[in-house]
Each structure stands twice: as structure tokens, then as C-alpha cells.
């Protein structure tokens, strides 16, 4: 049986997201969904959220056309999130 670890969100440029503290996402897991590879966990706000010692992972990804997508799970070791607001995109997305 193959063991797959949840990919970590290595960096996040969405500084206006409540879960982002100095480029680190502090939610348990993000979800990436389409039609563009958007971080659906993005939550705008100045009040910070999440748990300080947690670094987010990728909980699910519906981008079936990504080379790292296997049965709606991300198989990339680490991902990078870029942008702000409605344009917070997974920069690790690579179309097949």
C-alpha cells in the first residue's frame, strides 16, 4: 500500500487572508478548486485566524487536469499559493 502524506503549503502570498501570518498559512488544510486552481480556503480579513503552530496542507484538489492530481488528491510534496482576493491561485498547478 502506498502512503501519501498531505502536501504542505510551503508559501502563501495572500497576505490579506486571515490564515496568513508572514507568508505562512495556519489553517489545517486548504482546498483547491477550479475552473482555475483557486485556493477556496482564502478568507479575507485583518483579524488573524488558524492555529499558530500549524502549517496548512492541501486537503483536496478538484483540478483533474493537473499532473499532481491523483483521485482528487494532490501528490506534489509542497505547493505555493500566490495572489490576493479572488485570485489566490495554486502556483504548483501544472496542466497535463
Amino acid at each position: 500500500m502506498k502512503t501519501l502524506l498531505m502536501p504542505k503549503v510551503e508559501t502563501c502570498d495572500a497576505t490579506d487572508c486571515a490564515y496568513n501570518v508572514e507568508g505562512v498559512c495556519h489553517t489545517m488544510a486548504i482546498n483547491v478548486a477550479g475552473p482555475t486552481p483557486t485556493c477556496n480556503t482564502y478568507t479575507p480579513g485583518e483579524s488573524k485566524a488558524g492555529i499558530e503552530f500549524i502549517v496548512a496542507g492541501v486537503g483536496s484538489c478538484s483540478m483533474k487536469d493537473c499532473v499532481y492530481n491523483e483521485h482528487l488528491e494532490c501528490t506534489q510534496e509542497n505547493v505555493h499559493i500566490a495572489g490576493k482576493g479572488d485570485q489566490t491561485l495554486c502556483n504548483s498547478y501544472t496542466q497535463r
Side-chain angles (χ1 to χ4, degrees):
M1 177 192 268
K2 181 178 172 183
T3 302
L4 182 65
L5 299 177
M6 184 183 291
K8 293 294 178 195
V9 177
E10 189 169 300
T11 59
C12 179
D13 296 335
T15 55
D16 58 336
C17 179
Y19 291 110
N20 186 314
V21 178
E22 297 179 6
V24 178
C25 182
H26 292 286
T27 189
M28 295 287 271
I30 68 165
N31 296 306
V32 178
T36 58
T38 304
C39 175
N40 281 350
T41 311
Y42 167 80
T43 304
E46 291 181 26
S47 296
K48 293 301 174 184
I51 300 172
E52 184 179 330
F53 63 86
I54 289 177
V55 175
V58 179
S60 67
C61 177
S62 66
M63 300 303 298
K64 294 179 184 179
D65 63 338
C66 180
V67 297
Y68 302 113
N69 190 305
E70 186 175 316
H71 306 288
L72 301 179
E73 301 293 341
C74 181
T75 62
Q76 177 69 304
E77 188 173 320
N78 296 301
V79 300
H80 304 275
I81 304 298
K84 293 184 188 288
D86 293 338
Q87 297 302 312
T88 53
L89 303 176
C90 177
N91 271 2
S92 301
Y93 167 82
T94 304
Q95 189 172 16
R96 292 184 203 272

